[in-house]
Amino acid sequence: MDSVKIRVVIPVSTDKWNDSVKADYERVKEPKTVIDVIHLQHGPEAIQSEYDEANAAHHVLKEVAKILPQDYDAIIIYCFSDPALSGAREISTIPVLGIGESSQLFAMGLGDRCGIITTIEQSVARIRRKLRARGISGRFPTIRPLNIPVLEYDQREKVMESALGVARIMVEQDGVEALILGCGSLFGIQERIGDELGIPVVEPGIVTLKHAEMLVGLGLTHSKRSYMIPLPVKEN
Amino acid sequence: MDSVKIRVVIPVSTDKWNDSVKADYERVKEPKTVIDVIHLQHGPEAIQSEYDEANAAHHVLKEVAKILPQDYDAIIIYCFSDPALSGAREISTIPVLGIGESSQLFAMGLGDRCGIITTIEQSVARIRRKLRARGISGRFPTIRPLNIPVLEYDQREKVMESALGVARIMVEQDGVEALILGCGSLFGIQERIGDELGIPVVEPGIVTLKHAEMLVGLGLTHSKRSYMIPLPVKEN
Amino acid sequence: MDSVKIRVVIPVSTDKWNDSVKADYERVKEPKTVIDVIHLQHGPEAIQSEYDEANAAHHVLKEVAKILPQDYDAIIIYCFSDPALSGAREISTIPVLGIGESSQLFAMGLGDRCGIITTIEQSVARIRRKLRARGISGRFPTIRPLNIPVLEYDQREKVMESALGVARIMVEQDGVEALILGCGSLFGIQERIGDELGIPVVEPGIVTLKHAEMLVGLGLTHSKRSYMIPLPVKEN
Amino acid sequence: MDSVKIRVVIPVSTDKWNDSVKADYERVKEPKTVIDVIHLQHGPEAIQSEYDEANAAHHVLKEVAKILPQDYDAIIIYCFSDPALSGAREISTIPVLGIGESSQLFAMGLGDRCGIITTIEQSVARIRRKLRARGISGRFPTIRPLNIPVLEYDQREKVMESALGVARIMVEQDGVEALILGCGSLFGIQERIGDELGIPVVEPGIVTLKHAEMLVGLGLTHSKRSYMIPLPVKEN
Amino acid sequence: MDSVKIRVVIPVSTDKWNDSVKADYERVKEPKTVIDVIHLQHGPEAIQSEYDEANAAHHVLKEVAKILPQDYDAIIIYCFSDPALSGAREISTIPVLGIGESSQLFAMGLGDRCGIITTIEQSVARIRRKLRARGISGRFPTIRPLNIPVLEYDQREKVMESALGVARIMVEQDGVEALILGCGSLFGIQERIGDELGIPVVEPGIVTLKHAEMLVGLGLTHSKRSYMIPLPVKEN
Amino acid sequence: MDSVKIRVVIPVSTDKWNDSVKADYERVKEPKTVIDVIHLQHGPEAIQSEYDEANAAHHVLKEVAKILPQDYDAIIIYCFSDPALSGAREISTIPVLGIGESSQLFAMGLGDRCGIITTIEQSVARIRRKLRARGISGRFPTIRPLNIPVLEYDQREKVMESALGVARIMVEQDGVEALILGCGSLFGIQERIGDELGIPVVEPGIVTLKHAEMLVGLGLTHSKRSYMIPLPVKEN
């Protein structure tokens, strides 16, 4: 294989995150991987509710539909909510990964009791529902919010202090043994949390890139029996 | 209360079902209930995959956003897939019901082991994921498809024969004790199946209308702690 | 259908609750519903243990056996413990509802994490067992007692204050999103709790009346495969 | 300890089983154990439904209430349905065992996937509910009926042939690794089934006697926090 | 049966516990039981990790392989971690019991919500994994450590005070209804804890002896379909 | 990072597999990865039971203990049974992976209902227990054996035909959507199965190499709170 071409779809209508995701991915990708980051032209600027998820999902699918198997080897939907993940798999013959699912399965290989730090209180119930839909909620006893909206995530010091405090409560009170930073934009602060609390901290975006490279390398994609090709239907 | 106004959103871009849903609802509604059925102007004509769900969901939300609490008392999303149900609840202060969830909870009051007949093979895995997300999959040991696409559902005899055959297998082999006709459009054939097999057969659309009337009568709506109001976000 | 005749069996040997249940039901019933409330001539005056349940159950069954399908359309066993519910369903061809089961399934349609306030500490373990038998305990993370015996429930102010305090703990510490007042006699205080805490509060008695009207309207009853007709056996 | 006095309550209103239970128990009891078998004066002659269970339960409780701690060391309710087990524990300070629960926990120590042979089809759903209430249904993937009413159990050859056939299906098709003969009256045929199929076969009555002797020997009884003493209540 | 010969394998390489286990077992065994206690010649002196378990397991298997069915009737592996339990059952035709599994199943017969006190923090996650492998973790909501290494267990006063304190937290905060002293060496302090907290306290070693006597008396052993005879393989 | 050094421990006492594992790994590894394959000097030649697992485990730990963090970056235990996996993690500060766990978590990212083909009937129950211990058995509804002992796996045609037949049953009857070849030695036949049945087929060995490279690249290792460092203990 000459190169592995991965298209990253940031499912929000702002280019605010493109450069940092691109830069982070460039740093950790395999040499032969070629990363290409796009965002949505339309839809919400942030995904913080199931309402936002639904408003972004169809735009994600339009982007996925445009990605031809001859041009790309895998697709990453870069949002912990995994908007449109199942639908995208249905219409795609190359691997489609969501940073939520990929990081959750990965964390289960690191520790028994996993926890998720999310952005705001509004996200706790919807993440819980996703874990349950995957049949893995028994391994995720706790989800706690930072209570910082995602668009304020460039205030790194504030986010860092808050994340450390919440993580400490999760380790000491909830018995968390491995932690996921449940937001694509927390990138870069995992080491400090891991160092201070002595548990592995998973950064979903990075993990998912490696997951994608792995699938491509193995020549595997999601099961078309779990994500069957949709019957054609007229769209108005 | 003078009247109970319920808006039914059929989340597909065809008016093919409006009249029959309206007629069926008129027959079973409480006298003071006023039914108003709309369909989507845009989106897929049928929902038979998670791809279709996502393509319909945002159109559903647009319709839900237009429904003012002073004008309506409850909203029914008339599709067994419950597209946009959580998102709609987030933005609504009146009850929003999906015929999938409502009929599943209702069936659990009729029998221990519940089964679902769905339209096509493509729907089995996605219904299974929804049951799991609700924490009720232990009560639903089996889901089987008719293998008839939804748009051929006006061929009543064919659908009837097929449904009877599948239902019989579910009772005799899978031990089903109560059955849901997992599609809004199977309306009307439940009695024959129930009579021949001796189990209660749930027609989701009707059940959900009664569920809606019940919620309105009780002055209750979904929890805003499960479905929190989304933070405002810019939409492009 | 001319009228819907519902017999309410209050499964305790006191008429203390008949009038208030009747009055409450009259207020919320559909016009065509005819309510008829009876209590037991024999058995315990309150049900606060599995011992009490067993001592009431056979008296309930005697009453249920007397209820002829030509005279009634549905039966409500008015106690959150649902004494004799399964047995009554076995011998009945009209719907038999228990206010425990009906309200639990209904609450699951309102929120993800449901809680139950019960009367006394003695009831926590037995309610937990019932939830588990229904396969829904994953949706009910917490049950807490008021620590007020049921026969002191006419002291409304005391009950109200206590219920508010317990409910607040359940919301803030246990993360409850929808609440059931797990006792037939707490009737009427739900609004205040709901208003102060911002979550839906389910009053089991009322919900079950509407559930019964719904079943009758739909012509459905419990599955005779889940609740099979008993083989005849000699009774001494 | 001089002797261990165990009262066996056969919760049916016939003395048909007293002698054989007594004889079987005499054969396997510890020397110092004194067995005393009673049956109910009133109630159903067999328990084959939850209706029968409820009609027997209060008579069981009356018998249990008469058993003074100074006179007996343990009580066995000799029916796989465990009628009134929880209620009896609430009012008793000596161990009360049901042959259903005791044999189920015991079978889990013999094999991973346990199965139960019951008498008639009517019992399958109610046993399933009991396993679920105990949180152990994951270990009991299958329950199958002989389809022979309990009162015909003295036709040993017929019962034997039927049980062997059903057991073979459970081993070969359902993957059962340990088997419970889920009826107090199948006593004595376990060896042949075990020999022919190569799996341990649990006879609930015997196991429960040994369980009772064990509890008495250890000076332990059920938790009064799981089975709290009922508040006194007037009985009419 | 003339006598019941039980070999107790203490799976650590010290004779430190032999005499006290022997003495305790002599006190509670049935008259016809003959107890014979051995320890390992090689391997770790204590088992406080899965590393220790693995280092002890093969030595346990060597001892089990030497135990001939003509010489013994049952084998007890005397450690709450149950090292080599499954492997020992595979190669043995007489019952092999582990004090972990036996006491866990036994505790489930005493109360609904069971708790385990273990020695050190290191053991919590590995006990949790064992409960989950048995499908019973839903009945064991809490495991808490004393934080006293097993080799300091002869300081009875210190252990007693610590155990009482931890047990109190488990009852009051975690809602524990029955308690297991999850270490073979805590022997003898159960009564005081039980008395002060009003819950049954299970001493695993004793329970397992009675379990073994019970199995031998019943002529039953573990299922060879759950623990199949290993194919012969060359050992180097 | 200059190179990634991975030591593969084949936990059997034969060099029969070393070359093929090495060759396969060389083919798929990243360029900078250096693979080094060892087998055990002592212990069983194959692992087909929990007896074999226990007899191999301590030899695995001895090898793991010799692997210094300055010399290696990750360790792979190359056997689907994952012998000594938890113990090895306790004593290691570099990632230790088992091809069972890694491939199971990976398969969950490919499809909803996963199946495992194992070698012989003896392995079904022990794999089931491992899935349950990981809390993921709900996603693995079926495990089926080839009924070919592992040492006959060089008869590729026979293994291939058998595997195809078993896989077909798992897809058609058990509804499997993604399949794991649950044995390290089936290497190379996955494509044909995948092609003929249209589902992804996971080869555990390869997946685990990529998992190891991923962990090393991310600088992450298993949680020391899930796999705590053992207290020092004297070994005799």
Side-chain angles (χ1 to χ4, degrees), chain E residues 36-58:
Chain E
D36 151 356
V37 179
I38 63 169
H39 66 287
L40 302 182
Q41 295 310 308
H42 301 288
E45 289 203 350
I47 294 182
Q48 302 184 120
S49 61
E50 295 206 36
Y51 175 77
D52 294 340
E53 285 182 39
N55 281 326
H58 62 112

Short mmCIF file of all heavy atoms in Angstrom, two decimals, chain E residues 36-58:
data_model
loop_
_atom_site.label_atom_id
_atom_site.label_comp_id
_atom_site.label_asym_id
_atom_site.label_seq_id
_atom_site.Cartn_x
_atom_site.Cartn_y
_atom_site.Cartn_z
N ASP E 36 -7.86 -33.31 56.44
CA ASP E 36 -6.42 -33.46 56.24
C ASP E 36 -5.98 -32.19 55.52
O ASP E 36 -6.47 -31.86 54.44
CB ASP E 36 -6.31 -34.78 55.45
CG ASP E 36 -5.15 -34.93 54.53
OD1 ASP E 36 -4.36 -34.00 54.35
OD2 ASP E 36 -5.08 -36.04 53.96
N VAL E 37 -5.12 -31.42 56.18
CA VAL E 37 -4.73 -30.10 55.67
C VAL E 37 -3.29 -30.12 55.17
O VAL E 37 -2.39 -30.51 55.92
CB VAL E 37 -4.86 -29.03 56.78
CG1 VAL E 37 -4.42 -27.66 56.25
CG2 VAL E 37 -6.28 -28.97 57.32
N ILE E 38 -3.09 -29.70 53.97
CA ILE E 38 -1.72 -29.56 53.49
C ILE E 38 -1.51 -28.14 52.97
O ILE E 38 -2.46 -27.40 52.70
CB ILE E 38 -1.40 -30.56 52.34
CG1 ILE E 38 -2.27 -30.29 51.11
CG2 ILE E 38 -1.56 -32.00 52.82
CD1 ILE E 38 -1.83 -31.04 49.88
N HIS E 39 -0.27 -27.76 52.88
CA HIS E 39 0.07 -26.49 52.25
C HIS E 39 1.02 -26.80 51.09
O HIS E 39 1.41 -27.95 50.88
CB HIS E 39 0.69 -25.53 53.26
CG HIS E 39 2.01 -25.97 53.77
ND1 HIS E 39 2.14 -27.01 54.67
CD2 HIS E 39 3.27 -25.55 53.50
CE1 HIS E 39 3.42 -27.19 54.94
NE2 HIS E 39 4.12 -26.33 54.24
N LEU E 40 1.38 -25.79 50.36
CA LEU E 40 2.27 -26.00 49.21
C LEU E 40 3.73 -25.99 49.66
O LEU E 40 4.11 -25.23 50.55
CB LEU E 40 2.06 -24.91 48.17
CG LEU E 40 0.63 -24.76 47.62
CD1 LEU E 40 0.61 -23.65 46.57
CD2 LEU E 40 0.11 -26.07 47.05
N GLN E 41 4.52 -26.83 49.05
CA GLN E 41 5.95 -26.79 49.32
C GLN E 41 6.60 -25.61 48.61
O GLN E 41 7.59 -25.06 49.08
CB GLN E 41 6.62 -28.11 48.87
CG GLN E 41 6.14 -29.32 49.65
CD GLN E 41 6.20 -29.11 51.16
OE1 GLN E 41 7.22 -28.71 51.71
NE2 GLN E 41 5.07 -29.32 51.86
N HIS E 42 6.04 -25.23 47.49
CA HIS E 42 6.61 -24.16 46.69
C HIS E 42 5.53 -23.15 46.33
O HIS E 42 4.35 -23.44 46.45
CB HIS E 42 7.24 -24.74 45.43
CG HIS E 42 8.31 -25.73 45.74
ND1 HIS E 42 9.54 -25.36 46.24
CD2 HIS E 42 8.33 -27.09 45.65
CE1 HIS E 42 10.27 -26.45 46.45
NE2 HIS E 42 9.56 -27.51 46.11
N GLY E 43 5.98 -22.02 45.87
CA GLY E 43 5.04 -20.96 45.48
C GLY E 43 5.07 -19.83 46.49
O GLY E 43 5.87 -19.85 47.44
N PRO E 44 4.20 -18.83 46.32
CA PRO E 44 4.23 -17.66 47.20
C PRO E 44 3.68 -17.98 48.60
O PRO E 44 2.88 -18.90 48.76
CB PRO E 44 3.32 -16.66 46.49
CG PRO E 44 2.45 -17.49 45.60
CD PRO E 44 3.23 -18.70 45.22
N GLU E 45 4.10 -17.21 49.58
CA GLU E 45 3.62 -17.42 50.95
C GLU E 45 2.25 -16.79 51.21
O GLU E 45 1.63 -17.05 52.25
CB GLU E 45 4.65 -16.86 51.95
CG GLU E 45 5.91 -17.70 52.01
CD GLU E 45 6.66 -17.52 53.33
OE1 GLU E 45 6.32 -16.61 54.11
OE2 GLU E 45 7.60 -18.32 53.58
N ALA E 46 1.83 -15.96 50.29
CA ALA E 46 0.50 -15.35 50.43
C ALA E 46 -0.02 -15.05 49.03
O ALA E 46 0.77 -14.92 48.09
CB ALA E 46 0.57 -14.06 51.25
N ILE E 47 -1.34 -14.94 48.89
CA ILE E 47 -1.93 -14.65 47.59
C ILE E 47 -2.67 -13.34 47.69
O ILE E 47 -3.72 -13.24 48.32
CB ILE E 47 -2.86 -15.79 47.14
CG1 ILE E 47 -2.03 -17.05 46.89
CG2 ILE E 47 -3.63 -15.40 45.87
CD1 ILE E 47 -2.80 -18.24 46.39
N GLN E 48 -2.07 -12.32 47.10
CA GLN E 48 -2.64 -10.98 47.22
C GLN E 48 -2.71 -10.26 45.89
O GLN E 48 -2.87 -9.05 45.83
CB GLN E 48 -1.78 -10.17 48.21
CG GLN E 48 -1.71 -10.83 49.59
CD GLN E 48 -0.94 -10.00 50.60
OE1 GLN E 48 -1.50 -9.62 51.62
NE2 GLN E 48 0.31 -9.72 50.34
N SER E 49 -2.59 -11.01 44.80
CA SER E 49 -2.60 -10.43 43.46
C SER E 49 -2.87 -11.56 42.48
O SER E 49 -2.82 -12.74 42.84
CB SER E 49 -1.22 -9.81 43.16
OG SER E 49 -0.23 -10.83 43.20
N GLU E 50 -3.16 -11.20 41.23
CA GLU E 50 -3.31 -12.26 40.23
C GLU E 50 -1.94 -12.85 39.90
O GLU E 50 -1.85 -14.01 39.47
CB GLU E 50 -4.04 -11.73 38.99
CG GLU E 50 -5.47 -11.32 39.35
CD GLU E 50 -6.46 -11.38 38.18
OE1 GLU E 50 -6.36 -12.26 37.32
OE2 GLU E 50 -7.35 -10.51 38.16
N TYR E 51 -0.92 -12.09 40.09
CA TYR E 51 0.43 -12.62 39.95
C TYR E 51 0.65 -13.76 40.95
O TYR E 51 1.10 -14.86 40.59
CB TYR E 51 1.43 -11.48 40.19
CG TYR E 51 2.88 -11.88 40.20
CD1 TYR E 51 3.56 -12.14 39.01
CD2 TYR E 51 3.58 -11.98 41.40
CE1 TYR E 51 4.91 -12.49 39.02
CE2 TYR E 51 4.93 -12.33 41.42
CZ TYR E 51 5.58 -12.59 40.22
OH TYR E 51 6.91 -12.96 40.24
N ASP E 52 0.32 -13.51 42.20
CA ASP E 52 0.45 -14.57 43.20
C ASP E 52 -0.45 -15.77 42.84
O ASP E 52 -0.04 -16.92 42.98
CB ASP E 52 0.07 -14.04 44.59
CG ASP E 52 1.03 -12.98 45.11
OD1 ASP E 52 2.17 -12.89 44.62
OD2 ASP E 52 0.62 -12.21 46.00
N GLU E 53 -1.65 -15.47 42.42
CA GLU E 53 -2.56 -16.57 42.04
C GLU E 53 -1.93 -17.49 41.01
O GLU E 53 -1.96 -18.72 41.13
CB GLU E 53 -3.86 -16.01 41.43
CG GLU E 53 -4.82 -15.40 42.43
CD GLU E 53 -6.10 -14.91 41.73
OE1 GLU E 53 -6.58 -15.60 40.81
OE2 GLU E 53 -6.59 -13.84 42.11
N ALA E 54 -1.37 -16.87 39.97
CA ALA E 54 -0.80 -17.67 38.89
C ALA E 54 0.42 -18.46 39.39
O ALA E 54 0.65 -19.60 38.97
CB ALA E 54 -0.41 -16.77 37.72
N ASN E 55 1.16 -17.85 40.29
CA ASN E 55 2.33 -18.56 40.80
C ASN E 55 1.98 -19.69 41.75
O ASN E 55 2.77 -20.61 41.95
CB ASN E 55 3.30 -17.57 41.48
CG ASN E 55 4.11 -16.82 40.44
OD1 ASN E 55 4.45 -17.39 39.40
ND2 ASN E 55 4.40 -15.56 40.71
N ALA E 56 0.80 -19.63 42.33
CA ALA E 56 0.36 -20.72 43.19
C ALA E 56 -0.40 -21.80 42.41
O ALA E 56 -0.37 -22.98 42.76
CB ALA E 56 -0.53 -20.17 44.30
N ALA E 57 -1.05 -21.39 41.34
CA ALA E 57 -2.03 -22.27 40.69
C ALA E 57 -1.44 -23.61 40.25
O ALA E 57 -2.01 -24.68 40.51
CB ALA E 57 -2.66 -21.56 39.49
N HIS E 58 -0.30 -23.60 39.60
CA HIS E 58 0.24 -24.87 39.10
C HIS E 58 0.66 -25.78 40.25
O HIS E 58 0.56 -27.00 40.15
CB HIS E 58 1.40 -24.61 38.13
CG HIS E 58 2.56 -23.91 38.74
ND1 HIS E 58 3.78 -24.53 38.92
CD2 HIS E 58 2.69 -22.66 39.24
CE1 HIS E 58 4.62 -23.66 39.48
NE2 HIS E 58 3.97 -22.52 39.68
#
